[in-house]
Amino acid sequence: MTEIFVDAQSTEGTVRQIQEVIGGEIDERWGEYILKVNSKIAFGTIRFITFDWGVSLLEYDIKFFDDVVLRMDASEYNPIHFSYCLEGYCKHRFGYQPESDIQTLAQFQSVIVTCKDGGYNYGYFPKDEKLAINVIQITRKKFLKKRLNNVDELNQRLYRVFLDTDHENVFSFYGSFNLKLATKIGALRKVRTKGMIRIMQIEGLVYEILSMHILQHDKEYKNKMPSTSLLRSELKLVRKMANAIIKNPSKDYSLEMLATKSGLSQAKLQEGFKLLYTRTVTEYIRHIRLEAARDHIRTSDMNISQIVYSIGFSSRSYFSKIFKRKYGISPSEFQNNITVPLEVL
């Protein structure tokens, strides 16, 4: 077992203390830091970005070759951690708890924890498990200075956590699984722009993810989460089918075909799509095709008829009708308003 002790005063300090044990090199671009490691202890990356007003992003995309325990002293740096495992799992306990009270952060689960001042957090990362973990950290005093942060609108339990700026209490929330968060965090990881625009896009997504964590806590606290009979494994299959549609929207999909491919009943498949995407299977397929059509109009040289048939529609008039209903403009009008960049000779 490898133990890493952290008593840093920032997210950057935390990663640098991890680096001292597992090795690797840190590169920085526009305030985005990436630790790349390929050692006998670990392979992968740890990314961190610190934004204004006490918000930071910490992302693990890594596999450890030994069981790792991260022992974190909360005396100097004690943020609220909003965590989510996109792949794999990890575990956590507070220092005052016995090892028998270790809690698991399962895949697709929203978790919020914070320690009391002077206490310890223990993070447990399993050996040979591919980990993709997203952590948004909030430093309360800085965060509360931001004018737009109306924390008094939170439910009272979470409200007290944000106002506990002296870090006198511990707090933990292990929510139900949430695949909408997986989709949003997946989008965060796929940002491809560069420079200042990249950081701005990432920051916007970080605030969206944070709001989704808070909203889930509020709904569960008030017992307003939608109920479902579907298992976690079944929801993962629904998400797999949805991603397949995104990758190949022109394919001739049907509810029966998707149900057969996923191994789920048609009723479960419909329930899963309504729960995760607030659409029926048919509505979701139509939505993805329209989004693909809009992208093709923006980026390709195809005419409207070519685009219609390339994404799986058989009628241009029907396509034009639903495109205008969704976007408030006809495909032709949209195409005519695309700005063509000038080529510099």
Side-chain angles (χ1 to χ4, degrees), residues 174-343:
Y174 289 79
S176 57
F177 48 86
N178 184 332
L179 272 76
K180 292 181 181 178
L181 267 168
T183 300
K184 189 62 65 177
I185 290 170
L188 172 66
R189 288 168 166 254
K190 293 176 182 176
V191 173
R192 293 290 180 261
T193 50
K194 297 180 180 179
M196 182 178 64
I197 299 300
R198 173 180 173 82
I199 299 301
M200 292 172 66
Q201 287 183 312
I202 290 173
E203 184 173 11
L205 286 165
V206 164
Y207 276 101
E208 283 190 67
I209 293 164
L210 176 62
S211 69
M212 291 171 74
H213 277 290
I214 293 173
L215 183 60
Q216 177 169 349
H217 178 274
D218 188 61
K219 286 183 176 179
E220 293 201 26
Y221 182 70
K222 296 176 180 176
N223 294 316
K224 291 184 178 180
M225 287 296 288
S227 59
T228 178
S229 61
L230 297 178
L231 302 174
R232 185 193 308 269
S233 58
E234 292 172 330
L235 285 173
K236 288 171 70 174
L237 289 171
V238 172
R239 185 166 179 258
K240 183 178 180 180
M241 293 300 99
N243 287 337
I245 294 168
I246 292 173
K247 290 178 181 177
N248 189 5
S250 64
K251 194 169 181 179
D252 186 18
Y253 296 103
S254 68
L255 177 60
E256 182 180 6
M257 182 268 281
L258 290 169
T260 300
K261 189 172 182 179
S262 66
L264 299 173
S265 69
Q266 293 185 27
K268 283 191 172 185
L269 197 65
Q270 287 283 32
E271 181 183 351
F273 269 83
K274 289 178 182 178
L275 179 68
L276 298 180
Y277 306 106
T278 63
R279 292 179 171 92
T280 65
V281 172
T282 299
E283 290 169 344
Y284 182 82
I285 294 168
R286 184 166 60 239
H287 164 72
I288 294 302
R289 285 176 173 170
L290 287 171
E291 291 285 284
R294 188 173 61 168
D295 289 342
H296 284 317
I297 294 172
R298 281 178 177 152
T299 60
S300 77
D301 294 327
M302 290 189 290
N303 61 42
I304 300 299
S305 294
Q306 290 172 323
I307 290 172
V308 167
Y309 300 117
S310 73
I311 59 171
F313 286 112
S314 57
S315 168
R316 174 167 174 167
S317 60
Y318 171 71
F319 166 75
S320 297
K321 178 182 177 181
I322 62 174
F323 188 98
K324 186 168 185 177
R325 184 192 304 157
K326 183 175 180 65
Y327 300 116
I329 188 172
S330 72
S332 298
E333 290 172 327
F334 182 74
Q335 188 176 50
N336 291 336
N337 280 279
I338 298 295
T339 302
V340 179
L342 294 176
E343 182 178 353

Side-chain angles (χ1 to χ4, degrees), residues 10-11 17 22 33 37 50 92 103 113 130 134-135 148 162 198 260-261 277 299 302 305 324 335:
S10 65
T11 302
Q17 288 186 327
I22 69 174
Y33 295 78
V37 57
T50 300
H92 171 268
Q103 292 264 33
V113 297
K130 175 67 171 63
N134 176 283
V135 185
L148 298 178
F162 275 85
R198 173 180 173 82
T260 300
K261 189 172 182 179
Y277 306 106
T299 60
M302 290 189 290
S305 294
K324 186 168 185 177
Q335 188 176 50

Side-chain angles (χ1 to χ4, degrees), residues 135-201:
V135 185
I136 297 171
Q137 300 180 136
I138 303 294
T139 303
R140 278 161 278 200
K141 287 184 179 180
K142 290 183 179 180
F143 190 74
L144 290 174
K145 289 180 182 179
K146 189 172 177 67
R147 294 179 181 176
L148 298 178
N149 294 328
N150 295 317
V151 295
D152 56 325
E153 295 180 2
L154 303 175
N155 66 62
Q156 287 300 308
R157 188 162 179 251
L158 197 54
Y159 176 69
R160 289 193 293 269
V161 176
F162 275 85
L163 292 186
D164 181 23
T165 54
D166 293 325
H167 307 163
E168 295 177 345
N169 303 299
V170 299
F171 175 85
S172 63
F173 164 72
Y174 289 79
S176 57
F177 48 86
N178 184 332
L179 272 76
K180 292 181 181 178
L181 267 168
T183 300
K184 189 62 65 177
I185 290 170
L188 172 66
R189 288 168 166 254
K190 293 176 182 176
V191 173
R192 293 290 180 261
T193 50
K194 297 180 180 179
M196 182 178 64
I197 299 300
R198 173 180 173 82
I199 299 301
M200 292 172 66
Q201 287 183 312

Side-chain angles (χ1 to χ4, degrees), residues 78-145:
N78 187 19
I80 308 173
H81 303 262
F82 294 81
S83 303
Y84 189 87
C85 286
L86 193 62
E87 293 183 58
Y89 70 95
C90 59
K91 297 183 179 183
H92 171 268
R93 72 176 174 92
F94 295 112
Y96 69 88
Q97 294 177 312
E99 292 193 3
S100 58
D101 287 345
I102 291 175
Q103 292 264 33
T104 298
L105 285 72
Q107 185 183 25
F108 303 138
Q109 185 178 25
S110 170
V111 175
I112 308 171
V113 297
T114 190
C115 195
K116 63 181 178 180
D117 195 16
Y120 282 85
N121 282 302
Y122 285 82
Y124 298 87
F125 301 95
K127 174 182 179 181
D128 295 332
E129 181 81 16
K130 175 67 171 63
L131 302 174
I133 303 171
N134 176 283
V135 185
I136 297 171
Q137 300 180 136
I138 303 294
T139 303
R140 278 161 278 200
K141 287 184 179 180
K142 290 183 179 180
F143 190 74
L144 290 174
K145 289 180 182 179

